[in-house]
Amino acid sequence: MDMQSEGNKVSIEENDPWQQEALRRSEEQKKRIEKLNSIAAEAGKYLVGAILLGLLFYFCFYDYYINIAGLVYPLFLVGLYAITWKTMKSQGVLFNKHCVGYVACSFLLAISTILTTNLLIIFLNTVGIIILYLITLCRCYLVDKEMGIQGFIMTIGRCVSGTFVCSRYFFKHSKGKIRFKKGNFEKSKSITLGIVLATVFLGVVLPLLSQADAVFGNILRFPFQAINIANGYQIIRGVCFIFIPAILFYGLICSCYIRYMETDEKQYRLWKPDAILIMTGIIAVTYILFCSIQIVYLFGGLFELPEGITYAEYARQGFLQLLWVAVINIGLVLLLKIKCMPSKILNHILLVLSICTVVMIISSAYRMILYVKVYDLTRLRFLVLWFLIFLVFVVGQMMYYVYHSKYRIGKWLFTTALVAYMILSFGRMDYVIAKYNINANEYMTADNFMYLTYLSLDATPAIAELSEDRLLVDQEDNEYDYGYEEDSKENYELYFQWIVNEYNSSIRGFNISNYIAYQSALDKLAELK
């Protein structure tokens, strides 16, 4: 009877998915701890490095709204890579010479950050630096492992997700370095418990006693009146600025080291192309029909548009949709080429899809150009045009890759993206927008001028070249009301006065674009006087 019940118990445990998941996680936890034994043994120096990085982050960015685009940005990057290099050296991980380009690009993005006040570019630069840093770590820790695009992206994803999982080892390894004698530990534990219980009790009783006696209440409130709430906030923010980066850095190093100690490589199965051929064939026929319409209506101009629709309106209706379809097509072609078994017929269909994608990109760009000629240039329209140019180079490489499977598509697509973004980052987008809009309009309306002032200070030198005589307000029937001219000129002067008043002259927050805008504003104000 006992044997039967025991057998039933075992079978239940084996068939219980929750029990199996718990056992699997327990085994993974044991393996993870075994891989981190070498880090735990020398956790002291790794913890010191993490704390130093946190202190550096606090020094550079504690007033981030001022210093986020200042001279301290490259300084933090120097400290980050120095501490990372020292940590890897302690773990026996060599710096991969192929990562020099990633590190150099990181510093270029940091330099670009202090050359602009465009918050979008600053944000994208920061994201780019983080991505380049993660790629550098993966290339150094996993230099001996062969991975394709899919494997490399998944490895970076696991390192990032593992950062949050392994962050707890910051506290576990810190606790392991704090040693107490058994008697002293029990004594300190009792003292701590007594203080906590007394604090809870007094937290209930003291408010009642302070209300019962006014003198006692004044004595009780006096120490708290001396505490500045703002200072308390600064202390809490400082602690967060130091320890959050330190904990995340320690977790990232542990996560990368776990990947470094792995020996098994996952193999990915390829798909059979039978169903894929039918799917892509139907898509190709649909795209050919759509592209034919684009060539006839938009490029050829052989047929008239539907009544009541201008070319600008027709262009506006579809460029974003075509952009998304082009991006989806690129992802589809790359996915099928990587995941499917080799097939000549599939290659021909993928080439057709790529050619149709080029037509869609050109159609989207042409629509956007028509729209910009009528409604001027904005950030979104500028970014769309930049992205479309980038997609042309992507599709060109993709078409070559269809027939050349040994082409390192991942490496060159990443290089293309990096070069394209570098051009955008250093291209002073807001200055180009302001320059184009000013040159494209004989007179600047109030709305057009206000949009220019909403751009970053990168646009100030271009705005300073605008003559006051061109500042007018448009009314109905394209007539200009000169009665608003004085208000426009006043806003024009107030814009430059605001730049001068808001200029930050601190060394840590020094930004080259901010300084150029300040000088342009000073010169313009002197000219207006």
Side-chain angles (χ1 to χ4, degrees):
M1 184 70 179
D2 294 338
M3 293 291 293
Q4 185 177 0
S5 61
E6 184 177 350
N8 292 334
K9 182 178 179 181
V10 172
S11 63
I12 291 174
E13 290 183 354
E14 289 178 352
N15 296 326
D16 186 3
W18 298 102
Q19 186 73 14
Q20 293 177 1
E21 179 66 16
L23 292 173
R24 185 186 65 82
R25 292 190 177 186
S26 177
E27 291 297 325
E28 289 183 354
Q29 176 70 6
K30 291 179 181 179
K31 292 179 181 179
R32 190 180 297 119
I33 293 174
E34 290 176 359
K35 294 173 183 176
L36 292 177
N37 283 338
S38 59
I39 291 183
E42 300 181 355
K45 54 185 177 183
Y46 301 129
L47 291 169
V48 170
I51 296 297
L52 287 177
L53 181 66
L55 291 172
L56 179 63
F57 184 86
Y58 174 74
F59 171 77
C60 293
F61 302 119
Y62 76 92
D63 47 355
Y64 57 90
Y65 48 87
I66 297 176
N67 297 336
I68 190 62
L71 289 176
V72 293
Y73 204 105
L75 174 64
F76 173 75
L77 211 57
V78 171
L80 173 63
Y81 277 105
I83 294 174
T84 302
W85 173 78
K86 186 65 177 177
T87 302
M88 290 192 304
K89 186 178 180 181
S90 300
Q91 296 173 343
V93 179
L94 300 177
F95 184 80
N96 189 347
K97 62 180 181 180
H98 298 292
C99 296
V100 174
Y102 302 131
V103 176
C105 289
S106 298
F107 280 97
L108 286 176
L109 292 180
I111 293 172
S112 170
T113 300
I114 65 176
L115 292 175
T116 184
T117 55
N118 188 328
L119 293 179
L120 175 63
I121 297 297
I122 294 172
F123 171 76
L124 292 177
N125 285 349
T126 303
V127 173
I129 289 172
I130 294 173
I131 292 175
L132 290 170
Y133 177 70
L134 292 175
I135 292 175
T136 301
L137 287 182
C138 288
R139 289 297 300 271
C140 290
Y141 278 93
L142 307 175
V143 64
D144 295 329
K145 301 183 185 295
E146 293 291 336
M147 292 178 291
I149 301 175
Q150 181 181 359
F152 191 73
I153 293 176
M154 292 183 66
T155 299
I156 293 179
R158 287 197 296 267
C159 288
V160 173
S161 60
T163 298
F164 300 97
V165 175
C166 296
S167 294
R168 56 183 173 174
Y169 292 110
F170 178 89
F171 303 99
K172 287 188 175 183
H173 293 172
S174 300
K175 182 180 178 180
K177 290 298 177 182
I178 302 175
R179 305 182 184 277
F180 295 99
K181 292 183 179 179
K182 186 173 182 181
N184 293 337
F185 178 76
E186 293 296 332
K187 185 177 180 180
S188 62
K189 184 177 179 181
S190 301
I191 294 173
T192 303
L193 179 61
I195 294 174
V196 170
L197 294 175
T199 303
V200 173
F201 181 79
L202 292 177
V204 177
V205 173
L206 285 180
L208 299 175
L209 294 177
S210 63
Q211 293 178 4
D213 188 277
V215 176
F216 180 77
N218 291 332
I219 295 174
L220 188 64
R221 285 190 292 269
F222 176 77
F224 296 96
Q225 291 175 351
I227 299 175
N228 191 340
I229 297 179
N231 291 338
Y233 168 74
Q234 294 293 337
I235 293 173
I236 294 174
R237 191 177 73 162
V239 171
C240 292
F241 269 58
I242 293 173
F243 282 98
I244 291 179
I247 294 170
L248 291 178
F249 175 77
Y250 196 86
L252 179 61
I253 292 300
C254 291
S255 177
C256 290
Y257 192 74
I258 290 174
R259 305 281 92 76
Y260 173 69
M261 296 298 291
E262 289 180 347
T263 56
D264 57 323
E265 294 292 333
K266 294 184 178 180
Q267 301 294 329
Y268 300 97
R269 295 178 59 185
L270 296 178
W271 301 339
K272 294 182 179 180
D274 300 336
I276 302 299
L277 289 174
I278 299 174
M279 179 194 75
T280 53
I282 296 173
I283 295 174
V285 172
T286 305
Y287 283 174
I288 290 173
L289 176 61
F290 179 83
C291 292
S292 301
I293 296 175
Q294 298 303 297
I295 294 172
V296 171
Y297 270 85
L298 198 62
F299 304 141
L302 299 180
F303 296 98
E304 294 182 359
L305 294 174
E307 185 178 353
I309 298 180
T310 64
Y311 266 102
E313 292 173 344
Y314 178 67
R316 186 178 184 272
Q317 289 178 356
F319 66 82
L320 284 180
Q321 290 86 342
L322 287 176
L323 176 62
W324 283 114
V325 173
V327 173
I328 293 172
N329 290 347
I330 291 173
L332 177 65
V333 172
L334 289 177
L335 177 65
L336 296 180
K337 181 61 181 176
I338 294 172
K339 295 291 291 183
C340 287
M341 295 179 179
S343 171
K344 291 184 178 180
I345 299 177
L346 180 61
N347 290 343
H348 297 330
I349 297 177
L350 293 181
L351 179 62
V352 173
L353 293 180
S354 301
I355 295 173
C356 291
T357 303
V358 173
V359 175
M360 292 179 185
I361 293 172
I362 296 174
S363 175
S364 182
Y366 187 55
R367 290 166 183 261
M368 178 58 73
I369 292 172
L370 288 176
Y371 193 69
V372 167
K373 286 183 177 179
V374 178
Y375 297 105
D376 290 341
L377 195 59
T378 63
R379 278 184 180 175
L380 178 60
R381 297 164 197 167
F382 183 92
L383 290 173
V384 168
L385 289 172
W386 167 81
F387 191 61
L388 289 170
I389 296 172
F390 163 67
L391 288 183
V392 171
F393 290 94
V394 171
V395 176
Q397 295 183 63
M398 191 172 67
M399 294 169 67
Y400 181 81
Y401 177 61
V402 167
Y403 292 102
H404 301 81
S405 300
K406 294 184 179 180
Y407 180 69
R408 301 182 65 182
I409 186 69
K411 172 185 176 181
W412 290 110
L413 283 182
F414 180 78
T415 303
T416 303
L418 192 58
V419 172
Y421 180 72
M422 285 292 178
I423 295 173
L424 175 68
S425 182
F426 284 93
R428 302 180 68 192
M429 174 174 62
D430 287 348
Y431 176 83
V432 174
I433 293 171
K435 192 76 173 177
Y436 174 84
N437 290 351
I438 291 172
N439 293 335
N441 295 277
E442 183 179 359
Y443 294 101
M444 293 297 295
T445 66
D447 291 338
N448 289 341
F449 177 72
M450 288 303 296
Y451 177 76
L452 296 182
T453 61
Y454 291 149
L455 298 174
S456 69
L457 297 182
D458 297 0
T460 301
I463 299 175
E465 298 175 3
L466 178 64
S467 173
E468 281 186 292
D469 299 334
R470 298 171 60 188
L471 294 173
L472 300 172
V473 178
D474 56 343
Q475 301 296 325
E476 295 181 359
D477 300 327
N478 294 327
E479 294 179 358
Y480 290 94
D481 187 349
Y482 289 85
Y484 289 91
E485 185 176 355
E486 294 300 327
D487 293 337
S488 298
K489 291 182 179 180
E490 183 179 354
N491 292 333
Y492 183 67
E493 184 175 350
L494 287 175
Y495 169 73
F496 294 106
Q497 189 63 53
W498 170 78
I499 293 174
V500 173
N501 295 338
E502 295 293 324
Y503 178 68
N504 176 29
S505 58
S506 66
I507 296 178
R508 295 173 68 249
F510 179 78
N511 181 277
I512 295 177
S513 177
N514 194 5
Y515 177 76
I516 293 175
Y518 173 72
Q519 293 296 327
S520 299
L522 287 178
D523 295 340
K524 195 64 181 181
L525 289 174
E527 179 185 332
L528 293 175
K529 292 180 180 179

